[in-house]
Amino acid sequence: MIVEFYEDVVQISGSLRSNFWDTIHTAISMALQKHPQGVIVDCSGITECTLAGADTFRDAMEYISRQDALIILAAVPAAVQEIVKSIPEVRSQLAIAASVEEARHTMDLLINEEGKGTKADAMQVAIQLCGTECDAAAMKAAARMARSTQGHVHIVYPIVVPRDLALHAPLPQQEDSAVSAVDKIKDLFKEKHLPYTVHIERGRDIGVILNTVCEANRVEYLFVPLPANPDAAANNVRSILSRLKCTVSFIRGETS
């Protein structure tokens, strides 16, 4: 087993026939010293993994759960993933990306923060995005509120992660949709010269995600786009209404 690291990537190669966590842990710790926000573990070079070797991932999971930094496994060979799946407490706790590039995209998205700092006395207004044409109507309502109160807008795109995946598991399609939706709204708020903060947040439940952002930022009004077909959003509406303590306005988009 060979373990080496360059910048924020730890590369593992060779046969994993026993628990090599001590060696891998040393490399990850050294990488985190230079890149405290997160490290990618490139597993593409693993040629073999036994059940004894899979204990490495158990120890990795326990270590990752104690860290504030983001640690993503990348390019784990299919045969190795099958071994890892045989360990119930591990298979849903490790964030695994299909490639180093995919892991990099997820990491950049998770650690990137925009629009830091708001006026303490400004009214805090939030808008939830869902990546559909309905976002525009909610954006207009949030913009009107922010403009009339000289408020600050929190643009929130919740990514709901299935419970059988690790919370920080790469979800390329959802992440791309989030970035696209946020970019469109950001441009509109820039044109209107309205201050904003972007929150692309992950969680298991949309209501919990929105409530966490709103409570942390003392949001008074939340605008939520509502699809023309209310049945499609019924579960989300119930979750939001049962958890949010601020005023929530559901905005119906234009019907075609």
Side-chain angles (χ1 to χ4, degrees), residues 27-140:
I28 291 178
S29 297
M30 294 175 68
L32 282 173
Q33 288 178 9
K34 292 186 176 182
H35 301 275
Q37 290 182 309
V39 169
I40 298 169
V41 181
D42 181 0
C43 301
S44 60
I46 299 177
T47 57
E48 178 186 5
C49 180
T50 64
L51 283 173
D55 283 339
T56 302
F57 294 98
R58 188 196 308 270
D59 289 347
M61 178 201 70
E62 294 175 355
Y63 173 78
I64 291 171
S65 67
R66 299 192 300 268
Q67 302 303 305
D68 290 331
L70 180 63
I71 301 175
I72 300 178
L73 275 59
V76 180
V80 177
Q81 289 197 46
E82 287 302 313
I83 296 293
V84 172
K85 287 178 181 178
S86 68
I87 310 174
E89 67 272 27
V90 174
R91 64 189 178 195
S92 64
Q93 298 300 317
L94 290 173
I96 301 177
S99 65
V100 171
E101 292 74 20
E102 183 180 286
R104 172 82 58 213
H105 176 75
T106 296
M107 183 169 290
D108 289 345
L109 185 62
L110 289 170
I111 66 178
N112 182 45
E113 297 181 21
E114 300 187 52
K116 290 184 178 179
T118 65
K119 293 182 179 180
D121 59 347
M123 175 177 284
Q124 305 300 308
V125 179
I127 171 177
Q128 179 225 319
L129 302 183
C130 59
T132 71
E133 65 278 0
C134 299
D135 288 351
M139 183 279 298
K140 291 177 182 177

Side-chain angles (χ1 to χ4, degrees), residues 125-140 142 153-160 181-182 185 189 197 199 201 205-207 209-211 213-214 219 221-227 233 236-237 239-241 244 248-251:
V125 179
I127 171 177
Q128 179 225 319
L129 302 183
C130 59
T132 71
E133 65 278 0
C134 299
D135 288 351
M139 183 279 298
K140 291 177 182 177
V153 181
H154 296 269
I155 303 171
V156 189
Y157 194 110
I159 296 179
V160 178
V182 166
I185 296 298
F189 277 104
T197 302
H199 307 267
E201 301 291 341
D205 179 275
I206 191 170
I209 298 172
L210 292 172
N211 187 58
V213 173
C214 289
V219 169
Y221 290 90
L222 169 66
F223 294 90
V224 178
L226 189 65
N236 286 351
V237 170
S239 176
I240 292 170
L241 290 178
L244 270 291
V248 180
S249 294
F250 291 95
I251 308 298

